[in-house]
Amino acid sequence: MLFKLTDEQLMIQNMVREFSRKVVGPTAAERDRTKEFPAENFRQMGELGLMGMMIPEKYGGEAADTVSYVLALSEIAYSCASTSVVMSVQNSIVCESLLKFGTEEQKQKFLVPLASGEMIGAFGLTEPEAGSDPVSQQATAVKDKDGWVLNGTKRFITSGKYSKVVLVTAKTDESKGHRGISCFIIPKGTPGLTVGHMEDKMGLRASDTTDLILENCRVPEDQMLGKEGDGFKIAMSGLDSGRIGIAAQSYGVAKAAFDAAVRYAKSRKQFGVPIVKHQAIRFQIADMATQIEAARQLILSAASMKDRGEGYTMQASIAKLFASEMVNEVTARAIQIHGGYGFTKDYEVERFYRDARVFTIYEGTSEIQRIVISNQVLKDRRKP
């Protein structure tokens, strides 16, 4: 094994695995059916320190390393992808952005309750006409004597309904391109911020995904995150970390689908023997195991680079690209091994397959990851 986990990392993994199997897993299928937000899960996860894992203890977090975080996130995703996506956004994009760019006052006011799990956060970047190209966003923030006035619509916002605070990007200077985008901290209940349409999704159904509408939403000067013009930098920094999180979620769902397929193959009989005895099935299992292990190594590599303070943009994109494509193939193979039963809701692989589909899309599509990777490769090539 390339990566040897420390005793502390193994302890965290085992603790989260037990919680995930006993608490999160048993109601995951029902939440998928009803779209019920797993609020009680998050309350308990906050008590366990899972909602601000990489945040220093003085701000309510656990001061865990990134490797421990991805191990924990994978274990939650194994049982419920909907729960894991909220955990991922909370940890990587919301909490880390506040830690890196927030003032001490902002950290005390917002980061402490977020990291301790007292409230859920969201990040508003995507818009109806600006997904993979955030510079095309239309949301604006105009300064006046009392602060900033924001107008625009954000789309596909994870935890848009149930979050208590949202980090929102908006253009503060149209003429400066990506350097004219700023980021603002907006608590729910702020006049002018409303929750719009809630998406009826194919998967991740217990995680709310909504529009957020800004109509003359007034934000005081001290709720700008970072400096004016830092919005794009904040978003890209958060996405680097978030992409490791998506890779970890992909691994968790793939591992769950793989384990379910192996169990089924051992019990299902055709032609007088368990189907696992047939070479066609055994080869499928071998390919799935190989893909899953390759994804695991890429995820741990990117996480380790982040922990060492090295640049990890390319490695995060590689891990996200490979793992998200992998989980779609592995869940499809799991359904194939189940045969007709895999197409029914009586078996959990059907849910895994639906949940997996978005992993190649959000926090940067596979096409965007290929652009990021190729740009990094070509940039390195130009060095003497």
Side-chain angles (χ1 to χ4, degrees):
M1 184 173 65
L2 182 61
F3 287 92
K4 181 174 176 59
L5 302 178
T6 66
D7 289 342
E8 183 177 357
Q9 290 164 346
L10 288 169
M11 180 186 70
I12 291 171
Q13 183 181 43
N14 290 333
M15 180 270 289
V16 180
R17 178 175 294 168
E18 181 178 9
F19 171 79
S20 177
R21 304 299 195 274
K22 290 183 177 180
V23 177
V24 178
T27 58
E30 179 65 12
R31 286 194 304 272
D32 174 73
R33 186 182 68 80
T34 63
K35 298 192 288 186
E36 179 185 355
F37 185 74
E40 176 59 20
N41 282 357
F42 296 124
R43 186 191 68 77
Q44 295 185 55
M45 288 165 66
E47 292 177 352
L48 292 173
L50 302 182
M51 301 305 283
M53 288 189 68
M54 297 173 287
I55 302 304
E57 293 178 5
K58 69 176 182 177
Y59 297 125
E62 289 296 306
D65 59 12
T66 312
V67 170
S68 297
Y69 164 64
V70 298
L71 293 172
L73 184 58
S74 296
E75 293 296 341
I76 297 296
Y78 185 99
S79 295
C80 178
S82 294
T83 302
S84 73
V85 68
V86 177
M87 176 182 169
S88 178
V89 170
Q90 176 94 350
N91 274 273
S92 60
I93 303 183
V94 177
C95 285
E96 281 205 81
S97 294
L98 281 163
L99 178 66
K100 291 176 69 174
F101 297 96
T103 64
E104 185 62 28
E105 182 182 358
Q106 289 169 346
K107 290 173 185 177
Q108 293 297 334
K109 185 175 181 180
F110 299 108
L111 181 56
V112 170
L114 284 163
S116 62
E118 292 178 23
M119 64 184 187
I120 301 295
F123 196 100
L125 175 66
T126 300
E127 297 185 4
E129 301 300 325
S132 297
D133 179 17
V135 180
S136 296
Q137 64 184 281
Q138 299 300 307
T140 60
V142 178
K143 193 171 185 179
D144 67 10
K145 60 184 177 62
D146 296 319
W148 297 86
V149 180
L150 276 68
N151 283 280
T153 299
K154 297 296 179 176
R155 179 147 295 170
F156 300 140
I157 307 306
T158 298
S159 304
K161 179 178 180 180
Y162 292 101
S163 57
K164 297 299 183 183
V165 64
V166 188
L167 307 185
V168 173
T169 60
K171 287 186 174 180
T172 47
D173 190 335
E174 179 79 32
S175 67
K176 292 184 178 179
H178 72 275
R179 291 185 177 86
I181 298 172
S182 300
C183 187
F184 300 87
I185 308 167
I186 312 180
K188 286 292 187 62
T190 300
L193 172 64
T194 57
V195 177
H197 171 70
M198 181 179 289
E199 301 295 341
D200 186 10
K201 300 175 295 184
M202 173 182 179
L204 304 182
R205 289 171 59 80
S207 163
D208 60 304
T209 303
T210 75
D211 283 358
L212 290 176
I213 300 168
L214 300 157
E215 293 180 304
N216 294 322
C217 180
R218 187 171 294 279
V219 179
E221 184 72 38
D222 63 3
Q223 284 176 206
M224 175 180 280
L225 183 60
K227 301 188 298 293
E228 185 175 344
D230 279 351
F232 185 81
K233 179 171 67 175
I234 292 169
M236 293 304 103
S237 174
L239 287 174
D240 277 349
S241 182
R243 284 164 182 166
I244 299 178
I246 303 303
Q249 293 172 64
S250 299
Y251 171 82
V253 174
K255 190 68 168 60
F258 175 75
D259 288 350
V262 170
R263 286 195 302 270
Y264 183 84
K266 288 179 176 178
S267 64
R268 174 67 168 167
K269 290 185 177 181
Q270 290 286 277
F271 305 105
V273 296
I275 62 173
V276 76
K277 297 290 186 181
H278 298 299
Q279 188 181 66
I281 300 299
R282 295 175 79 90
F283 280 8
Q284 292 240 45
I285 290 171
D287 287 345
M288 293 160 77
T290 301
Q291 289 178 301
I292 290 169
E293 179 59 22
R296 178 179 179 274
Q297 298 295 342
L298 288 171
I299 295 163
L300 291 175
S301 175
S304 296
M305 291 183 71
K306 182 173 183 285
D307 284 335
R308 292 193 298 267
E310 301 173 12
Y312 65 97
T313 295
M314 184 168 78
Q315 284 69 25
S317 284
I318 288 173
K320 200 270 189 185
L321 172 63
F322 185 87
S324 64
E325 297 282 348
M326 173 277 296
V327 70
N328 276 275
E329 184 169 345
V330 165
T331 53
R333 286 178 183 263
I335 285 181
Q336 191 71 21
I337 288 171
H338 279 71
Y341 292 110
F343 198 63
T344 72
K345 292 187 181 295
D346 293 332
Y347 287 81
E348 57 190 359
V349 290
E350 181 269 347
R351 170 167 56 90
F352 299 151
Y353 182 76
R354 287 186 289 104
D355 285 342
R357 189 60 194 89
V358 76
F359 291 147
T360 62
I361 298 172
Y362 68 177
E363 294 197 29
T365 63
S366 290
E367 291 72 24
I368 290 296
Q369 303 315 313
R370 290 183 172 98
I371 291 172
V372 171
I373 295 164
S374 61
N375 284 347
Q376 291 289 317
V377 170
L378 294 172
K379 180 174 68 176
D380 290 345
R381 289 276 193 266
R382 289 196 294 268
K383 293 179 181 179

